[in-house]
């Protein structure tokens, strides 16, 4: 968790991706709970974008962890 906080402080790109990921995740959760209108095709696009962001964030975290070790 400390590494993620440091990345958010030091990298504007990481912070923006993390914020976008969390916003998408919240939106998708609302859709899945039927609290927002649902369009299956649009929902799948959002899920793919969330997965891509998650992969990018993971890559950044692993790269930073290697530099610390």
């Amino acid at each position: 968790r400390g590494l993620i906080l440091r990345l958010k402080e030091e990298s504007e790109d990481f912070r923006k991706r993390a914020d976008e990921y969390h916003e998408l995740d919240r939106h998708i959760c609302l859709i899945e709970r039927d609290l927002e209108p649902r369009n299956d095709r649009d929902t799948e696009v959002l899920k793919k974008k969330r997965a891509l962001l998650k992969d990018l964030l993971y890559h950044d975290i692993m790269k930073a962890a290697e530099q610390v070790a």
Side-chain angles (χ1 to χ4, degrees):
R1 179 131 173 101
L3 181 59
I4 293 172
L5 292 174
R6 194 186 90 216
L7 284 168
K8 284 183 176 182
E9 290 174 0
E10 295 176 359
S11 172
E12 185 177 339
D13 289 336
F14 183 87
R15 186 177 65 253
K16 285 180 180 179
R17 277 194 292 267
D19 290 345
E20 185 177 3
Y21 171 82
H22 289 296
E23 183 179 321
L24 270 173
D25 190 53
R26 277 187 231 104
H27 184 63
I28 290 167
C29 287
L30 291 174
I31 291 170
E32 290 174 338
R33 292 181 193 152
D34 291 327
L35 298 175
E36 285 195 15
R38 179 182 208 141
N39 175 318
D40 289 338
R41 189 177 348 171
D42 292 343
T43 301
E44 288 306 311
V45 169
L46 293 174
K47 287 181 177 182
K48 287 178 183 179
K49 187 172 183 177
R50 178 180 62 178
L52 175 63
L53 286 168
K54 189 173 187 177
D55 288 344
L56 291 170
L57 292 167
Y58 177 80
H59 174 76
D60 291 344
I61 293 166
M62 296 309 293
K63 184 177 176 183
E66 289 176 3
Q67 294 174 353
V68 171

